[in-house]
Every structure is written in structure tokens, then in C-alpha cells.
Amino acid sequence: MEIISPEILADVRGLSVGLCLTGLVLGLALWLLGWRRYRFWVVLAITCLGGAYGLCEAPLLRATPAVAGTLLALSAGVLALSLARVFAFAIAGCTALVTVQSLVPSWDQPLVSFTTGGLLGVLLFRLWVMAVTSVSGTLLVVYSGLCLAERLAKLDAVGFAEKHVKLLNWLCGGAAVLGLLAQLLLNRRQAAGARKPGAPDKHKAAEGKPAEAKKGDAPAPRRKLLSWPPFRKAG
């Protein structure tokens, strides 16, 4: 099994240095900050997919490529967050189906595999988003790095990928796991920082509990058990 495909490398090896550097930066951001900015990544990915589909299927949709791509990209971007769970179900189901068929070919239950994987993807949405963004960022960084090495260091990226399949597989797998752990750690630190003693408690404020008086502030007036509402005096 080849995680880094030489055929894809042969197609993208001609990218410019600027595009390779952009891919590296985007891949690192996706690898490290996938969950914290997952709304941005979901909207961006679905918008790009909608635009690409409109450009490719413009004759079937009876519209010019520019019009079809723009309209489908805008529509997909507006509905992206609403479709995030649907896409999570579909991607997790397809991943589970492919994994089960690869590991256990004798298990001929595609519906069970797909629905089970999809339900787990929706129930474990946070963990699933972290895993997908970590893997996607790793692949983007590796592909961009190999293309950049070919442009600057004169490395034969396709030949390197064909000769070092196991090395690239272990490298991508280890980087993806490391990215998942890094995102879990960042999420845990963010949650711990929100629960610090000095941080304002939103729940107490919502319940109407009075905030603690600061030093030098005038003491708040005590409420009487039985008191008449204040009346305005006549002028």
C-alpha cells in the first residue's frame, strides 16, 4: 500500500516554488490547528469541492464553467457548516468500508461496515475531525516538501517515492499520529485555561449570581426581605 502515490507526484511535480511553500504552510496549519479552526477548513474544503465540480460538469449542467463553478462554490460555502455532519458520516463510512475490505476481505457486509463507521464518525466528531485534519495536513506537507525538494535540490521525487515506499508510509503514519496527539494536547490546554480560578464563570453570570467585589469598590446594598418598590417623587 502506497500512501504517497508516484502518479500524483508525477502530476504535481511541476508546481512553482511559491505554490509549494503555500502548500507547506497550509499543511502545517491544518496538521496543528485542524480542530481549533475546523469551521474554516470545512467551509474552505466544501467550497473548493463545489467549485471544482461546477467547472468539471458545466456542460452537463448546461451552463458556462465560470457560472457553474461560481454558483456551486457559493452554494456549497453557505451550506458547508450545515453539511459538516453529513460529510463526516460519509467520509467515516467510506473509510471504515475500505479499511474492513482491505483487512478482512472475507467479511462481505458493506452496509454494516459503512453505517457503523459513519455513526462512529458522527458520535466521535471531534476526534474524527482531528484525525482527518492531521492526515490531510501530513499528506499536504509531504507532497509539497517532495515537490519543493525536486525544484530546489534537484531530487527525483517520483523515483524516491517508488524506492522508499515503507519509509514514506511510516513517516506519514507517525506524523499523522503526532499531529492528532498535538491537537488533543492543545484542546486540553485550552479547556484547562477556560476553567482557571481567575477566569469569569459564564454559568454563574447566567444564573444571576453577583460577581465578587473588587478592592476599593463600594459595598453593594443589602436586599431587604420585604420591601416596597421605589416610587418617583412628584416634581
Side-chain angles (χ1 to χ4, degrees), residues 152-191:
L152 299 181
K154 306 301 180 182
L155 173 70
D156 184 11
V158 177
F160 183 83
E162 291 175 348
K163 292 179 182 178
H164 302 85
V165 177
K166 291 184 178 179
L167 176 63
L168 290 176
N169 288 348
W170 280 103
L171 179 64
C172 292
V177 173
L178 186 62
L180 176 61
L181 294 177
Q183 290 191 43
L184 287 172
L185 181 60
L186 286 176
N187 184 53
R188 186 176 179 181
R189 290 184 64 182
Q190 184 182 9

